[in-house]
Amino acid sequence: MSKNFFENLTADERAELAKLVKPLRQAGGLTKKVVYDEAGISRQTLDNIENGITVPQADVLKRVLEVVGHEVDEPEFGP
């Protein structure tokens, strides 16, 4: 996942990806504490993401998705 890919996501696209955080965290058996500690965010920020209260910034979303083990496929462009 490249940094540029996440920076180019719209707020709607980030919101859709953020919806994956809670189910992926739960499926992976991760506690909220593990996720927010490893992602370097606050507990409140993670709660807000999981509850759809806020749309995370690109860098925050990238870190959280990495912690919960989600790979985002970047579009491939031909020559």
Side-chain angles (χ1 to χ4, degrees), residues 6-75:
F6 276 88
E7 289 174 354
N8 291 325
L9 292 175
T10 66
D12 288 341
E13 291 168 331
R14 290 193 320 268
E16 285 301 309
L17 285 172
K19 290 178 183 178
L20 302 174
V21 172
K22 186 174 184 176
L24 287 170
R25 177 182 62 76
Q26 292 172 331
L30 299 170
T31 64
K32 285 184 177 184
K33 181 165 181 22
V34 167
V35 175
Y36 67 71
D37 280 349
E38 290 188 21
I41 60 174
S42 70
R43 178 198 54 81
Q44 188 63 52
T45 297
L46 180 60
D47 285 343
N48 288 345
I49 292 169
E50 287 192 351
N51 293 318
I53 295 170
T54 60
V55 176
Q57 295 297 316
D59 62 323
V60 171
L61 180 60
K62 181 179 186 292
R63 292 193 316 262
V64 171
L65 288 174
E66 286 174 347
V67 172
V68 299
H70 184 69
E71 291 289 327
V72 176
D73 294 328
E74 297 180 45

